[in-house]
Amino acid sequence: VLGLGGMQLMPILIEERRFMKHETSEALYSEGASVLASFCVDVPLSSMGAALEILIMFSFAGFDSEHFNSIFFWCMLVFFVYDSLFGFVAAVAVDGQQAQALAT
């Protein structure tokens, strides 16, 4: 779930990129401002969501608490790798269909 959740966000990223291109062409703001604002909002929010999801899965699994740090580290690593990968695919793709085709 943590790894493949980024596939659902690809069409949203592509749509945001399209709006950003139109707004930067009108000189409403720069591309750097858009990237910074997106980074400051999306990264903490998605990180907290992934951490809470890991906590819920860990509590349902019933593992010993001594394994929590290792499991949490690897799950967060998988989340960030796949989130970055699907963000890259969304940046390269022209539209949502091409992004889905590249990701599968």
Side-chain angles (χ1 to χ4, degrees):
V1 172
L2 289 173
L4 297 178
M7 280 186 76
Q8 298 171 349
L9 297 177
M10 282 194 307
I12 296 169
L13 290 173
I14 293 170
E15 195 66 25
E16 285 178 0
R17 181 183 68 193
R18 191 175 64 84
F19 285 128
M20 188 262 306
K21 283 183 179 181
H22 290 297
E23 291 170 350
T24 54
S25 69
E26 296 291 326
L28 297 175
Y29 52 82
S30 68
E31 291 175 359
S34 173
V35 169
L36 182 64
S38 163
F39 178 78
C40 289
V41 172
D42 292 342
V43 170
L45 190 62
S46 63
S47 299
M48 286 189 321
L52 287 174
E53 193 172 338
I54 293 167
L55 287 172
I56 292 169
M57 287 188 295
F58 186 81
S59 65
F60 282 166
F63 292 135
D64 292 332
S65 59
E66 64 189 36
H67 302 297
F68 177 73
N69 289 336
S70 176
I71 290 172
F72 186 81
F73 170 76
W74 284 106
C75 288
M76 288 300 285
L77 184 66
V78 165
F79 167 72
F80 283 119
V81 166
Y82 278 103
D83 190 52
S84 301
L85 177 69
F86 291 131
F88 170 74
V89 170
V92 171
V94 176
D95 59 359
Q97 289 179 342
Q98 186 182 16
Q100 294 291 340
L102 287 172
T104 55

